[in-house]
Amino acid sequence: QVQLVESGGGSVQAGGSLRLSCVASGWSNRGGCLAWFRQAPGKEREGVARILIGGGGTYWTTYYSDSVKGRFTISQDNAKNTLYLQMNSLKLEDTGTYYCAAARWSCGFDRSLFDYWGQGTQVTVSS
C-alpha cells in the first residue's frame, strides 16, 4: 500500500524559503510521476511542480507551473523514497495547503491522473 506523508510546512515572511518533504512509502521511484499540488482557501487544487521518472529511475524530467517557475525546485531522493519541494522567494499568493501526489501511468497537472495523495501540509506566507 502506498502512503504519502508531507512535512516541512510552516509560516514564513514574504521573500523567505521553505523546503517541503514527502516520504513515499510503498512507492518505487524507478518510474512514474510525482507532483506537488497546492490549494488556497476558496480555490481549486492546482499543480505547481512535477517530476517524471523513467529508465528505471535513471532519468527524470521536471515541470513547473508558470506561477512558481524560477522560484521552486522539485527533486527526489531515491535512497530515501522522498520527494522535495524547495520554495524560494515566497510570495503571499503561495499560501495554501500543499499536497504531494503519485501517479503510476500518466503525468500532468490533471488531478484525476494521480492515484495517491498525501494529507497535506500548510504553508502560510505573510508580509
Side-chain angles (χ1 to χ4, degrees):
Q1 182 69 20
V2 175
Q3 186 175 17
L4 306 178
V5 179
E6 304 97 335
S7 63
S11 296
V12 64
Q13 286 193 321
S17 298
L18 280 175
R19 188 176 81 155
L20 306 183
S21 300
C22 172
V23 178
S25 57
W27 178 263
S28 167
N29 281 343
R30 289 178 293 177
C33 180
L34 298 169
W36 288 98
F37 286 74
R38 69 184 178 192
Q39 187 165 17
K43 294 189 176 181
E44 290 195 357
R45 194 172 299 188
E46 62 171 353
V48 297
R50 66 183 192 259
I51 183 167
L52 174 62
I53 303 162
T58 58
Y59 70 84
W60 53 90
T61 307
T62 58
Y63 301 86
Y64 300 92
S65 68
D66 288 342
S67 62
V68 307
K69 198 174 297 181
R71 300 187 297 121
F72 290 11
T73 302
I74 188 171
S75 62
Q76 52 132 9
D77 184 329
N78 273 341
K80 297 181 179 179
N81 248 26
T82 301
L83 180 72
Y84 300 101
L85 185 68
Q86 177 66 44
M87 305 186 295
N88 297 329
S89 302
L90 282 161
K91 303 177 180 180
L92 298 179
E93 52 264 40
D94 293 320
T95 294
T97 303
Y98 282 70
Y99 300 88
C100 71
R104 184 63 71 192
W105 304 115
S106 299
C107 202
F109 283 147
D110 182 343
R111 289 172 291 171
S112 67
L113 299 175
F114 291 84
D115 307 297
Y116 305 98
W117 292 85
Q119 82 290 348
T121 186
Q122 178 66 34
V123 171
T124 302
V125 184
S126 60
S127 58

